[in-house]
Amino acid sequence: MIIKPLGLAACTLLVIVMGLRPAAAQDADPYQPLRESMVTWQLKARGISDSRVLAAMERVPRHRFVPERLASLAYGDHPLPIGSEQTISQPYIVALMTEWAQIKPGDKVLEVGTGSGYQAAVLAELTDRVWTIDIRPELAAKAAGTLKTLGYSQVQVKSGDGYLGWPEAAPFDAILVTAAASRMPPALPQQLREGGRLIIPLGPEGRVQTLTRFRKVQGKMQEEKNVPVSFVPLVEPPGTRD
Ligand code: SAH
């Protein structure tokens, strides 16, 4: 006899708790609706179709990777300054590079140009083996803090010259370079596994570059596709640029 009312009470409590959950989740992240429209209008509308990439872009709180005063602009269709004269890429470019990288769970991925850590977080949604390197120590340190705070503690962050890759962690299944190089840094293809993808903007500083995907096939780099882009320059060894 006593069991029935107790059971009812438990059910009622459960319904209340479940009923409250979506509202509570929205309170926790007021940017969720902006993120959803970013995915619909900037990514899907332009042809990003990999459901894992779209889900990653919908999950990662981009506003936490930009300076606080710019948080309300984080989901706009443009890059934003992140300090040290660097920028976080436009959401579409992050999604495109990620889709081109064809990352499966367990793949090893290197990002050259950590910046804010945003691209690394998107990659970390797809595999738990991500390495990212930035030549500017202040950016690497800040990104490492942001990634840790948000629970992406599996991402390995270091400050150093990514022109040389990360030989100790190689070979990688995918390498993404998020700064424009005048030509392919020779170490990067060497650190790519057979069948691996390398995505890099190539071209002159301050002008339009060509975001290119290469695949390593029988030890040779095969160009697969490209699109015009504009990135901040990769710091390269003296004499590399013409
Ligand atoms: N992917 C970043 C944005 C990158 S901006 C993000 O998601 O926010 C380009 C970054 O490349 C800058 O942070 C810059 O410091 C870094 N960079 C430039 N030359 C580099 C080099 N040789 N090695 C490593 N990082 C480099």
Side-chain angles (χ1 to χ4, degrees):
M1 290 302 274
I2 304 166
I3 294 167
K4 221 176 180 181
L6 261 183
L8 257 180
C11 275
T12 313
L13 193 66
L14 193 69
V15 168
I16 292 171
V17 169
M18 285 173 67
L20 282 177
R21 266 179 79 192
Q26 266 180 23
D27 283 355
D29 188 357
Y31 288 97
Q32 180 68 27
L34 281 181
R35 214 154 43 236
E36 280 169 17
S37 42
M38 171 193 88
V39 167
T40 304
W41 300 110
Q42 298 176 37
L43 310 185
K44 287 186 189 164
R46 292 195 183 114
I48 303 291
S49 61
D50 184 325
S51 57
R52 292 184 69 234
V53 174
L54 293 168
M57 296 292 293
E58 198 163 316
R59 266 197 303 269
V60 179
R62 182 171 161 94
H63 61 282
R64 301 287 298 272
F65 292 87
V66 303
E68 229 172 306
R69 69 192 157 83
L70 300 178
S72 63
L73 304 175
Y75 298 96
D77 192 13
H78 44 68
L80 281 171
I82 53 169
S84 307
E85 296 177 356
Q86 304 304 306
T87 54
I88 178 174
S89 304
Q90 176 191 9
Y92 172 67
I93 295 296
V94 174
L96 185 70
M97 291 182 77
T98 310
E99 185 166 79
W100 280 10
Q102 301 176 320
I103 295 158
K104 301 179 297 300
D107 275 1
K108 286 178 72 173
V109 184
L110 171 67
E111 179 198 19
V112 174
T114 312
S116 67
Y118 176 67
Q119 171 79 75
V122 172
L123 295 170
E125 291 281 349
L126 302 173
T127 176
D128 52 12
R129 300 165 88 199
V130 179
W131 285 257
T132 181
I133 180 167
D134 203 290
I135 202 159
R136 293 180 169 83
E138 71 282 9
L139 291 179
K142 182 141 196 284
T146 310
L147 288 164
K148 201 162 170 223
T149 308
L150 294 174
Y152 297 106
S153 20
Q154 78 274 33
V155 177
Q156 304 288 315
V157 187
K158 82 168 174 184
S159 180
D161 190 354
Y163 189 87
L164 306 170
W166 193 323
E168 302 81 9
F172 299 98
D173 298 285
I175 299 178
L176 285 76
V177 183
T178 62
S182 59
R183 54 186 66 125
M184 176 69 81
L188 301 184
Q190 287 166 13
Q191 293 177 23
L192 197 64
R193 204 190 290 283
E194 176 67 20
R197 290 77 58 201
L198 200 164
I199 295 125
I200 181 167
L202 289 171
E205 180 178 339
R207 276 185 275 154
V208 176
Q209 302 112 22
T210 310
L211 183 65
T212 310
R213 179 172 85 188
F214 296 90
R215 187 184 300 270
K216 193 167 182 175
V217 181
Q218 293 175 344
K220 294 214 174 71
M221 297 305 281
Q222 280 187 2
E223 186 176 328
E224 291 190 326
K225 46 177 150 186
N226 62 61
V227 68
V229 285
S230 176
F231 274 81
V232 293
L234 185 77
V235 176
E236 296 171 283
T240 307
R241 287 182 193 273
D242 301 317

PDB file of all heavy atoms in Angstrom, residues 82 86-89 94 111-120 133-136 139 160-163 178-179 232-236, ligand 1:
ATOM      1  N   ILE A  82      42.533  37.501 -32.328  1.00  0.00           N
ATOM      2  CA  ILE A  82      42.721  36.769 -31.059  1.00  0.00           C
ATOM      3  C   ILE A  82      43.951  37.280 -30.305  1.00  0.00           C
ATOM      4  O   ILE A  82      44.439  36.622 -29.391  1.00  0.00           O
ATOM      5  CB  ILE A  82      42.849  35.240 -31.295  1.00  0.00           C
ATOM      6  CG1 ILE A  82      43.948  34.932 -32.332  1.00  0.00           C
ATOM      7  CG2 ILE A  82      41.518  34.646 -31.727  1.00  0.00           C
ATOM      8  CD1 ILE A  82      44.326  33.457 -32.417  1.00  0.00           C
ATOM      9  N   GLN A  86      47.047  37.915 -34.670  1.00  0.00           N
ATOM     10  CA  GLN A  86      46.612  36.662 -35.291  1.00  0.00           C
ATOM     11  C   GLN A  86      45.084  36.600 -35.301  1.00  0.00           C
ATOM     12  O   GLN A  86      44.428  37.408 -34.640  1.00  0.00           O
ATOM     13  CB  GLN A  86      47.206  35.469 -34.544  1.00  0.00           C
ATOM     14  CG  GLN A  86      48.723  35.514 -34.444  1.00  0.00           C
ATOM     15  CD  GLN A  86      49.395  35.622 -35.803  1.00  0.00           C
ATOM     16  OE1 GLN A  86      49.148  34.817 -36.688  1.00  0.00           O
ATOM     17  NE2 GLN A  86      50.258  36.627 -35.966  1.00  0.00           N
ATOM     18  N   THR A  87      44.546  35.647 -36.039  1.00  0.00           N
ATOM     19  CA  THR A  87      43.083  35.540 -36.128  1.00  0.00           C
ATOM     20  C   THR A  87      42.623  34.089 -35.963  1.00  0.00           C
ATOM     21  O   THR A  87      43.357  33.153 -36.294  1.00  0.00           O
ATOM     22  CB  THR A  87      42.564  36.029 -37.509  1.00  0.00           C
ATOM     23  OG1 THR A  87      43.265  35.313 -38.533  1.00  0.00           O
ATOM     24  CG2 THR A  87      42.776  37.518 -37.704  1.00  0.00           C
ATOM     25  N   ILE A  88      41.403  33.951 -35.457  1.00  0.00           N
ATOM     26  CA  ILE A  88      40.717  32.655 -35.472  1.00  0.00           C
ATOM     27  C   ILE A  88      40.007  32.620 -36.827  1.00  0.00           C
ATOM     28  O   ILE A  88      39.393  33.598 -37.244  1.00  0.00           O
ATOM     29  CB  ILE A  88      39.728  32.543 -34.287  1.00  0.00           C
ATOM     30  CG1 ILE A  88      38.945  31.229 -34.289  1.00  0.00           C
ATOM     31  CG2 ILE A  88      38.755  33.710 -34.220  1.00  0.00           C
ATOM     32  CD1 ILE A  88      38.066  31.048 -33.016  1.00  0.00           C
ATOM     33  N   SER A  89      40.122  31.504 -37.546  1.00  0.00           N
ATOM     34  CA  SER A  89      39.546  31.427 -38.895  1.00  0.00           C
ATOM     35  C   SER A  89      38.025  31.492 -38.853  1.00  0.00           C
ATOM     36  O   SER A  89      37.394  31.141 -37.845  1.00  0.00           O
ATOM     37  CB  SER A  89      39.951  30.128 -39.585  1.00  0.00           C
ATOM     38  OG  SER A  89      41.346  30.009 -39.626  1.00  0.00           O
ATOM     39  N   VAL A  94      37.190  26.530 -40.984  1.00  0.00           N
ATOM     40  CA  VAL A  94      37.509  25.492 -39.988  1.00  0.00           C
ATOM     41  C   VAL A  94      36.776  24.191 -40.350  1.00  0.00           C
ATOM     42  O   VAL A  94      37.370  23.106 -40.359  1.00  0.00           O
ATOM     43  CB  VAL A  94      37.107  25.954 -38.558  1.00  0.00           C
ATOM     44  CG1 VAL A  94      37.307  24.834 -37.543  1.00  0.00           C
ATOM     45  CG2 VAL A  94      37.899  27.197 -38.163  1.00  0.00           C
ATOM     46  N   GLU A 111      48.023  19.827 -35.859  1.00  0.00           N
ATOM     47  CA  GLU A 111      47.670  21.155 -36.350  1.00  0.00           C
ATOM     48  C   GLU A 111      48.879  22.068 -36.173  1.00  0.00           C
ATOM     49  O   GLU A 111      49.436  22.151 -35.082  1.00  0.00           O
ATOM     50  CB  GLU A 111      46.487  21.739 -35.568  1.00  0.00           C
ATOM     51  CG  GLU A 111      46.132  23.135 -36.067  1.00  0.00           C
ATOM     52  CD  GLU A 111      45.281  23.953 -35.100  1.00  0.00           C
ATOM     53  OE1 GLU A 111      45.229  23.630 -33.899  1.00  0.00           O
ATOM     54  OE2 GLU A 111      44.681  24.929 -35.558  1.00  0.00           O
ATOM     55  N   VAL A 112      49.272  22.739 -37.239  1.00  0.00           N
ATOM     56  CA  VAL A 112      50.340  23.749 -37.155  1.00  0.00           C
ATOM     57  C   VAL A 112      49.642  25.112 -37.120  1.00  0.00           C
ATOM     58  O   VAL A 112      48.972  25.492 -38.085  1.00  0.00           O
ATOM     59  CB  VAL A 112      51.301  23.651 -38.355  1.00  0.00           C
ATOM     60  CG1 VAL A 112      52.320  24.795 -38.318  1.00  0.00           C
ATOM     61  CG2 VAL A 112      52.000  22.301 -38.377  1.00  0.00           C
ATOM     62  N   GLY A 113      49.801  25.827 -35.992  1.00  0.00           N
ATOM     63  CA  GLY A 113      49.132  27.127 -35.840  1.00  0.00           C
ATOM     64  C   GLY A 113      47.957  27.027 -34.880  1.00  0.00           C
ATOM     65  O   GLY A 113      46.800  27.167 -35.271  1.00  0.00           O
ATOM     66  N   THR A 114      48.258  26.798 -33.601  1.00  0.00           N
ATOM     67  CA  THR A 114      47.219  26.608 -32.572  1.00  0.00           C
ATOM     68  C   THR A 114      46.298  27.811 -32.458  1.00  0.00           C
ATOM     69  O   THR A 114      45.082  27.652 -32.313  1.00  0.00           O
ATOM     70  CB  THR A 114      47.889  26.384 -31.188  1.00  0.00           C
ATOM     71  OG1 THR A 114      48.914  25.413 -31.319  1.00  0.00           O
ATOM     72  CG2 THR A 114      46.881  25.971 -30.142  1.00  0.00           C
ATOM     73  N   GLY A 115      46.889  29.012 -32.489  1.00  0.00           N
ATOM     74  CA  GLY A 115      46.104  30.242 -32.322  1.00  0.00           C
ATOM     75  C   GLY A 115      45.289  30.201 -31.049  1.00  0.00           C
ATOM     76  O   GLY A 115      45.827  30.059 -29.952  1.00  0.00           O
ATOM     77  N   SER A 116      43.964  30.257 -31.188  1.00  0.00           N
ATOM     78  CA  SER A 116      43.063  30.255 -30.030  1.00  0.00           C
ATOM     79  C   SER A 116      42.838  28.849 -29.461  1.00  0.00           C
ATOM     80  O   SER A 116      42.336  28.702 -28.356  1.00  0.00           O
ATOM     81  CB  SER A 116      41.711  30.806 -30.466  1.00  0.00           C
ATOM     82  OG  SER A 116      41.098  29.895 -31.380  1.00  0.00           O
ATOM     83  N   GLY A 117      43.136  27.823 -30.271  1.00  0.00           N
ATOM     84  CA  GLY A 117      42.850  26.443 -29.853  1.00  0.00           C
ATOM     85  C   GLY A 117      41.519  25.933 -30.394  1.00  0.00           C
ATOM     86  O   GLY A 117      41.161  24.774 -30.189  1.00  0.00           O
ATOM     87  N   TYR A 118      40.775  26.796 -31.110  1.00  0.00           N
ATOM     88  CA  TYR A 118      39.434  26.410 -31.583  1.00  0.00           C
ATOM     89  C   TYR A 118      39.473  25.236 -32.574  1.00  0.00           C
ATOM     90  O   TYR A 118      38.772  24.237 -32.414  1.00  0.00           O
ATOM     91  CB  TYR A 118      38.730  27.623 -32.205  1.00  0.00           C
ATOM     92  CG  TYR A 118      37.390  27.288 -32.803  1.00  0.00           C
ATOM     93  CD1 TYR A 118      36.331  26.888 -31.997  1.00  0.00           C
ATOM     94  CD2 TYR A 118      37.173  27.358 -34.180  1.00  0.00           C
ATOM     95  CE1 TYR A 118      35.083  26.571 -32.544  1.00  0.00           C
ATOM     96  CE2 TYR A 118      35.932  27.050 -34.730  1.00  0.00           C
ATOM     97  CZ  TYR A 118      34.899  26.657 -33.907  1.00  0.00           C
ATOM     98  OH  TYR A 118      33.683  26.340 -34.457  1.00  0.00           O
ATOM     99  N   GLN A 119      40.318  25.348 -33.590  1.00  0.00           N
ATOM    100  CA  GLN A 119      40.417  24.264 -34.579  1.00  0.00           C
ATOM    101  C   GLN A 119      40.830  22.959 -33.884  1.00  0.00           C
ATOM    102  O   GLN A 119      40.319  21.885 -34.213  1.00  0.00           O
ATOM    103  CB  GLN A 119      41.408  24.652 -35.678  1.00  0.00           C
ATOM    104  CG  GLN A 119      41.775  23.535 -36.649  1.00  0.00           C
ATOM    105  CD  GLN A 119      40.726  23.267 -37.716  1.00  0.00           C
ATOM    106  OE1 GLN A 119      40.567  24.023 -38.667  1.00  0.00           O
ATOM    107  NE2 GLN A 119      40.002  22.166 -37.555  1.00  0.00           N
ATOM    108  N   ALA A 120      41.735  23.068 -32.916  1.00  0.00           N
ATOM    109  CA  ALA A 120      42.176  21.865 -32.186  1.00  0.00           C
ATOM    110  C   ALA A 120      41.010  21.230 -31.437  1.00  0.00           C
ATOM    111  O   ALA A 120      40.890  20.000 -31.379  1.00  0.00           O
ATOM    112  CB  ALA A 120      43.312  22.221 -31.221  1.00  0.00           C
ATOM    113  N   ILE A 133      50.675  22.924 -32.385  1.00  0.00           N
ATOM    114  CA  ILE A 133      51.911  23.668 -32.094  1.00  0.00           C
ATOM    115  C   ILE A 133      51.772  25.100 -32.596  1.00  0.00           C
ATOM    116  O   ILE A 133      51.229  25.338 -33.678  1.00  0.00           O
ATOM    117  CB  ILE A 133      53.128  22.951 -32.738  1.00  0.00           C
ATOM    118  CG1 ILE A 133      54.426  23.710 -32.459  1.00  0.00           C
ATOM    119  CG2 ILE A 133      52.958  22.734 -34.234  1.00  0.00           C
ATOM    120  CD1 ILE A 133      55.680  22.896 -32.801  1.00  0.00           C
ATOM    121  N   ASP A 134      52.258  26.060 -31.785  1.00  0.00           N
ATOM    122  CA  ASP A 134      52.236  27.460 -32.205  1.00  0.00           C
ATOM    123  C   ASP A 134      53.573  28.099 -31.878  1.00  0.00           C
ATOM    124  O   ASP A 134      54.141  27.883 -30.813  1.00  0.00           O
ATOM    125  CB  ASP A 134      51.104  28.237 -31.533  1.00  0.00           C
ATOM    126  CG  ASP A 134      50.726  29.465 -32.346  1.00  0.00           C
ATOM    127  OD1 ASP A 134      51.540  30.428 -32.399  1.00  0.00           O
ATOM    128  OD2 ASP A 134      49.631  29.468 -32.953  1.00  0.00           O
ATOM    129  N   ILE A 135      54.034  28.916 -32.792  1.00  0.00           N
ATOM    130  CA  ILE A 135      55.335  29.550 -32.625  1.00  0.00           C
ATOM    131  C   ILE A 135      55.282  30.677 -31.591  1.00  0.00           C
ATOM    132  O   ILE A 135      56.318  31.078 -31.062  1.00  0.00           O
ATOM    133  CB  ILE A 135      55.865  30.043 -33.994  1.00  0.00           C
ATOM    134  CG1 ILE A 135      57.385  30.199 -33.958  1.00  0.00           C
ATOM    135  CG2 ILE A 135      55.161  31.324 -34.439  1.00  0.00           C
ATOM    136  CD1 ILE A 135      58.030  30.170 -35.329  1.00  0.00           C
ATOM    137  N   ARG A 136      54.092  31.180 -31.303  1.00  0.00           N
ATOM    138  CA  ARG A 136      53.960  32.271 -30.322  1.00  0.00           C
ATOM    139  C   ARG A 136      53.591  31.681 -28.962  1.00  0.00           C
ATOM    140  O   ARG A 136      52.457  31.212 -28.764  1.00  0.00           O
ATOM    141  CB  ARG A 136      52.910  33.277 -30.796  1.00  0.00           C
ATOM    142  CG  ARG A 136      53.379  34.012 -32.060  1.00  0.00           C
ATOM    143  CD  ARG A 136      52.380  35.034 -32.570  1.00  0.00           C
ATOM    144  NE  ARG A 136      52.993  35.863 -33.592  1.00  0.00           N
ATOM    145  CZ  ARG A 136      53.102  35.519 -34.889  1.00  0.00           C
ATOM    146  NH1 ARG A 136      52.626  34.358 -35.306  1.00  0.00           N
ATOM    147  NH2 ARG A 136      53.685  36.337 -35.745  1.00  0.00           N
ATOM    148  N   LEU A 139      50.258  32.580 -27.201  1.00  0.00           N
ATOM    149  CA  LEU A 139      49.040  31.989 -27.770  1.00  0.00           C
ATOM    150  C   LEU A 139      48.942  30.511 -27.392  1.00  0.00           C
ATOM    151  O   LEU A 139      47.868  30.029 -27.017  1.00  0.00           O
ATOM    152  CB  LEU A 139      49.008  32.174 -29.291  1.00  0.00           C
ATOM    153  CG  LEU A 139      48.804  33.610 -29.776  1.00  0.00           C
ATOM    154  CD1 LEU A 139      48.807  33.665 -31.303  1.00  0.00           C
ATOM    155  CD2 LEU A 139      47.504  34.211 -29.244  1.00  0.00           C
ATOM    156  N   GLY A 160      56.430  26.121 -30.395  1.00  0.00           N
ATOM    157  CA  GLY A 160      57.616  25.772 -31.160  1.00  0.00           C
ATOM    158  C   GLY A 160      57.367  26.081 -32.621  1.00  0.00           C
ATOM    159  O   GLY A 160      56.298  26.592 -32.982  1.00  0.00           O
ATOM    160  N   ASP A 161      58.346  25.791 -33.463  1.00  0.00           N
ATOM    161  CA  ASP A 161      58.235  26.088 -34.884  1.00  0.00           C
ATOM    162  C   ASP A 161      57.592  24.914 -35.628  1.00  0.00           C
ATOM    163  O   ASP A 161      58.239  23.889 -35.878  1.00  0.00           O
ATOM    164  CB  ASP A 161      59.621  26.385 -35.453  1.00  0.00           C
ATOM    165  CG  ASP A 161      59.525  26.928 -36.873  1.00  0.00           C
ATOM    166  OD1 ASP A 161      58.396  26.952 -37.432  1.00  0.00           O
ATOM    167  OD2 ASP A 161      60.560  27.327 -37.428  1.00  0.00           O
ATOM    168  N   GLY A 162      56.331  25.104 -35.987  1.00  0.00           N
ATOM    169  CA  GLY A 162      55.592  24.049 -36.676  1.00  0.00           C
ATOM    170  C   GLY A 162      56.053  23.826 -38.106  1.00  0.00           C
ATOM    171  O   GLY A 162      55.641  22.860 -38.744  1.00  0.00           O
ATOM    172  N   TYR A 163      56.924  24.728 -38.624  1.00  0.00           N
ATOM    173  CA  TYR A 163      57.519  24.504 -39.941  1.00  0.00           C
ATOM    174  C   TYR A 163      58.266  23.167 -39.932  1.00  0.00           C
ATOM    175  O   TYR A 163      58.386  22.503 -40.964  1.00  0.00           O
ATOM    176  CB  TYR A 163      58.485  25.663 -40.257  1.00  0.00           C
ATOM    177  CG  TYR A 163      58.999  25.677 -41.670  1.00  0.00           C
ATOM    178  CD1 TYR A 163      58.287  26.315 -42.683  1.00  0.00           C
ATOM    179  CD2 TYR A 163      60.205  25.055 -41.997  1.00  0.00           C
ATOM    180  CE1 TYR A 163      58.759  26.332 -43.981  1.00  0.00           C
ATOM    181  CE2 TYR A 163      60.684  25.069 -43.297  1.00  0.00           C
ATOM    182  CZ  TYR A 163      59.960  25.700 -44.288  1.00  0.00           C
ATOM    183  OH  TYR A 163      60.425  25.711 -45.575  1.00  0.00           O
ATOM    184  N   THR A 178      47.303  25.992 -40.385  1.00  0.00           N
ATOM    185  CA  THR A 178      46.295  27.055 -40.370  1.00  0.00           C
ATOM    186  C   THR A 178      46.933  28.436 -40.514  1.00  0.00           C
ATOM    187  O   THR A 178      46.407  29.424 -40.020  1.00  0.00           O
ATOM    188  CB  THR A 178      45.418  26.960 -39.106  1.00  0.00           C
ATOM    189  OG1 THR A 178      46.242  27.137 -37.956  1.00  0.00           O
ATOM    190  CG2 THR A 178      44.725  25.621 -39.006  1.00  0.00           C
ATOM    191  N   ALA A 179      48.084  28.485 -41.191  1.00  0.00           N
ATOM    192  CA  ALA A 179      48.720  29.751 -41.557  1.00  0.00           C
ATOM    193  C   ALA A 179      49.302  29.547 -42.954  1.00  0.00           C
ATOM    194  O   ALA A 179      49.673  28.421 -43.319  1.00  0.00           O
ATOM    195  CB  ALA A 179      49.822  30.101 -40.564  1.00  0.00           C
ATOM    196  N   VAL A 232      46.618  34.324 -42.241  1.00  0.00           N
ATOM    197  CA  VAL A 232      47.803  35.024 -41.735  1.00  0.00           C
ATOM    198  C   VAL A 232      49.030  34.180 -42.120  1.00  0.00           C
ATOM    199  O   VAL A 232      48.913  32.973 -42.307  1.00  0.00           O
ATOM    200  CB  VAL A 232      47.760  35.238 -40.198  1.00  0.00           C
ATOM    201  CG1 VAL A 232      46.644  36.195 -39.813  1.00  0.00           C
ATOM    202  CG2 VAL A 232      47.617  33.920 -39.445  1.00  0.00           C
ATOM    203  N   PRO A 233      50.209  34.824 -42.254  1.00  0.00           N
ATOM    204  CA  PRO A 233      51.371  34.067 -42.742  1.00  0.00           C
ATOM    205  C   PRO A 233      51.964  33.091 -41.724  1.00  0.00           C
ATOM    206  O   PRO A 233      51.970  33.364 -40.529  1.00  0.00           O
ATOM    207  CB  PRO A 233      52.399  35.157 -43.067  1.00  0.00           C
ATOM    208  CG  PRO A 233      51.974  36.349 -42.292  1.00  0.00           C
ATOM    209  CD  PRO A 233      50.493  36.253 -42.097  1.00  0.00           C
ATOM    210  N   LEU A 234      52.448  31.970 -42.246  1.00  0.00           N
ATOM    211  CA  LEU A 234      53.254  31.036 -41.455  1.00  0.00           C
ATOM    212  C   LEU A 234      54.639  31.653 -41.307  1.00  0.00           C
ATOM    213  O   LEU A 234      55.175  32.194 -42.288  1.00  0.00           O
ATOM    214  CB  LEU A 234      53.357  29.702 -42.202  1.00  0.00           C
ATOM    215  CG  LEU A 234      54.067  28.569 -41.464  1.00  0.00           C
ATOM    216  CD1 LEU A 234      53.145  27.947 -40.397  1.00  0.00           C
ATOM    217  CD2 LEU A 234      54.514  27.469 -42.432  1.00  0.00           C
ATOM    218  N   VAL A 235      55.194  31.588 -40.106  1.00  0.00           N
ATOM    219  CA  VAL A 235      56.576  32.038 -39.924  1.00  0.00           C
ATOM    220  C   VAL A 235      57.478  30.963 -40.527  1.00  0.00           C
ATOM    221  O   VAL A 235      57.404  29.794 -40.138  1.00  0.00           O
ATOM    222  CB  VAL A 235      56.905  32.265 -38.433  1.00  0.00           C
ATOM    223  CG1 VAL A 235      58.370  32.637 -38.251  1.00  0.00           C
ATOM    224  CG2 VAL A 235      55.982  33.321 -37.834  1.00  0.00           C
ATOM    225  N   GLU A 236      58.294  31.376 -41.522  1.00  0.00           N
ATOM    226  CA  GLU A 236      59.137  30.413 -42.232  1.00  0.00           C
ATOM    227  C   GLU A 236      60.602  30.778 -42.045  1.00  0.00           C
ATOM    228  O   GLU A 236      60.920  31.924 -41.729  1.00  0.00           O
ATOM    229  CB  GLU A 236      58.773  30.392 -43.723  1.00  0.00           C
ATOM    230  CG  GLU A 236      57.349  29.904 -43.950  1.00  0.00           C
ATOM    231  CD  GLU A 236      56.888  30.070 -45.397  1.00  0.00           C
ATOM    232  OE1 GLU A 236      56.549  31.201 -45.794  1.00  0.00           O
ATOM    233  OE2 GLU A 236      56.872  29.073 -46.115  1.00  0.00           O
TER     234      GLU A 236
HETATM  235  N1  SAH B   1      43.959  27.552 -35.939  1.00  0.00           N
HETATM  236  C1  SAH B   1      43.863  28.745 -35.135  1.00  0.00           C
HETATM  237  C2  SAH B   1      44.108  30.018 -35.913  1.00  0.00           C
HETATM  238  C3  SAH B   1      45.460  30.072 -36.481  1.00  0.00           C
HETATM  239  S1  SAH B   1      46.097  31.670 -36.819  1.00  0.00           S
HETATM  240  C4  SAH B   1      42.569  28.803 -34.371  1.00  0.00           C
HETATM  241  O1  SAH B   1      41.754  27.869 -34.478  1.00  0.00           O
HETATM  242  O2  SAH B   1      42.367  29.779 -33.640  1.00  0.00           O
HETATM  243  C5  SAH B   1      47.697  31.151 -37.319  1.00  0.00           C
HETATM  244  C6  SAH B   1      48.577  30.748 -36.165  1.00  0.00           C
HETATM  245  O3  SAH B   1      49.771  30.207 -36.735  1.00  0.00           O
HETATM  246  C7  SAH B   1      49.019  31.895 -35.269  1.00  0.00           C
HETATM  247  O4  SAH B   1      48.655  31.637 -33.955  1.00  0.00           O
HETATM  248  C8  SAH B   1      50.536  31.925 -35.444  1.00  0.00           C
HETATM  249  O5  SAH B   1      51.228  32.263 -34.263  1.00  0.00           O
HETATM  250  C9  SAH B   1      50.833  30.508 -35.875  1.00  0.00           C
HETATM  251  N2  SAH B   1      52.099  30.314 -36.597  1.00  0.00           N
HETATM  252  C10 SAH B   1      52.662  31.087 -37.557  1.00  0.00           C
HETATM  253  N3  SAH B   1      53.819  30.552 -37.984  1.00  0.00           N
HETATM  254  C11 SAH B   1      53.999  29.402 -37.275  1.00  0.00           C
HETATM  255  C12 SAH B   1      55.009  28.393 -37.256  1.00  0.00           C
HETATM  256  N4  SAH B   1      56.079  28.450 -38.043  1.00  0.00           N
HETATM  257  N5  SAH B   1      54.850  27.362 -36.406  1.00  0.00           N
HETATM  258  C13 SAH B   1      53.775  27.278 -35.587  1.00  0.00           C
HETATM  259  N6  SAH B   1      52.798  28.197 -35.560  1.00  0.00           N
HETATM  260  C14 SAH B   1      52.900  29.246 -36.389  1.00  0.00           C
END
